[in-house]
C-alpha cells in the first residue's frame, strides 16, 4: 500500500543548515536527522571524513506533510535543477517492487531496489519523464 508522497530536497553539503532553515521557515517539527557518520560501519569501505557530518536523511513534519532533506555524498554530482526529488513511502515490500519496476520502464535506475539498514526495500529511479523518485518501504 502507498502510504505517502513527500518532497525530498537534496543539498550539496549544507544539509544541516537547510534542516534548520526549513524548520524555522515552516515552524516545522523535526522528526529526525541521520548523518552518513551514523551509518553502521562497513569494513569494506571507510567513510571519508568530509562525509561524516553530512545529512544522509532528515525529516520535518510540516502540517500534514513530511519534508525530507539529504546531502549529496562527497564526490557525487550536484546539479541545480535536480535538488528536489519525490519520495514515495510504501508499507509493503512487494508493492514497492511493483511501483519501482513500473517507474523504471523507460527510465534510469540510480540505485537498485534493495534492503538497507533503514528500509527493507529502498531504491532510486529517474522515470522516462525525468522525474527522480526515491522508493522506500516502512514496515511496522
Amino acid at each position: 500500500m502507498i502510504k505517502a508522497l513527500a518532497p525530498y530536497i537534496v543539498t550539496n553539503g549544507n544539509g544541516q543548515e537547510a534542516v534548520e532553515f526549513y524548520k524555522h521557515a515552516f515552524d516545522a517539527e523535526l522528526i529526525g536527522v541521520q548523518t552518513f557518520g551514523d551509518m553502521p560501519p562497513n569494513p569494506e569501505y571507510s567513510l571519508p571524513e568530509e562525509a561524516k557530518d553530512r545529512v544522509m536523511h532528515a525529516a520535518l513534519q510540516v502540517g500534514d506533510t513530511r519534508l525530507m532533506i539529504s546531502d549529496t555524498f562527497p564526490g557525487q554530482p550536484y546539479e541545480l535543477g535536480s535538488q528536489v526529488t519525490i519520495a514515495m513511502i510504501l508499507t509493503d515490500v512487494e508493492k514497492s517492487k511493483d511501483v519501482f519496476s513500473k517507474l523504471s520502464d523507460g527510465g534510469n535506475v540510480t540505485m537498485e531496489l534493495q534492503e538497507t539498514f533503514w528500509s527493507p526495500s529502498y531504491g532510486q529511479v529517474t522515470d522516462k519523464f525525468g522525474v527522480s523518485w526515491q522508493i522506500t518501504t516502512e514496515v511496522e
Side-chain angles (χ1 to χ4, degrees), residues 13 15-16 33-38 47-56 71:
Q16 300 277 4
V33 177
Q34 293 176 309
T35 65
F36 287 106
D38 294 331
L47 188 66
E49 193 61 39
E50 66 269 22
K52 291 181 179 176
D53 290 329
R54 285 192 179 206
V55 175
M56 184 181 74
D71 275 315

Side-chain angles (χ1 to χ4, degrees), residues 7-91:
Y8 207 119
I9 297 172
V10 179
T11 57
N12 194 25
N14 56 348
Q16 300 277 4
E17 179 184 353
V19 168
E20 290 304 314
F21 175 81
Y22 291 115
K23 179 181 169 194
H24 174 72
F26 302 139
D27 293 323
E29 174 191 350
L30 179 64
I31 296 171
V33 177
Q34 293 176 309
T35 65
F36 287 106
D38 294 331
M39 291 189 315
N42 180 344
E44 296 175 17
Y45 179 77
S46 62
L47 188 66
E49 193 61 39
E50 66 269 22
K52 291 181 179 176
D53 290 329
R54 285 192 179 206
V55 175
M56 184 181 74
H57 175 74
L60 297 169
Q61 191 66 39
V62 183
D64 291 337
T65 302
R66 189 184 307 181
L67 173 64
M68 295 188 261
I69 301 167
S70 70
D71 275 315
T72 56
F73 195 79
Q76 280 186 317
Y78 181 79
E79 185 176 324
L80 287 179
S82 66
Q83 66 269 35
V84 178
T85 65
I86 301 172
M88 176 176 281
I89 300 101
L90 298 103
T91 58

Side-chain angles (χ1 to χ4, degrees), residues 3 89-94 118-121 136-140:
K3 182 177 176 180
I89 300 101
L90 298 103
T91 58
D92 179 78
V93 170
E94 290 307 312
W118 69 87
S119 174
S121 182
T136 191
T137 305
E138 294 178 354
V139 292
E140 309 226 354

Side-chain angles (χ1 to χ4, degrees), residues 72-126:
T72 56
F73 195 79
Q76 280 186 317
Y78 181 79
E79 185 176 324
L80 287 179
S82 66
Q83 66 269 35
V84 178
T85 65
I86 301 172
M88 176 176 281
I89 300 101
L90 298 103
T91 58
D92 179 78
V93 170
E94 290 307 312
K95 182 65 176 174
S96 73
K97 291 177 183 177
D98 178 55
V99 169
F100 191 84
S101 174
K102 289 174 181 174
L103 288 171
S104 300
D105 187 20
N108 180 40
V109 173
T110 309
M111 180 179 175
E112 290 291 342
L113 200 61
Q114 59 194 273
E115 184 175 345
T116 64
F117 72 91
W118 69 87
S119 174
S121 182
Y122 175 84
Q124 298 174 6
V125 61
T126 301

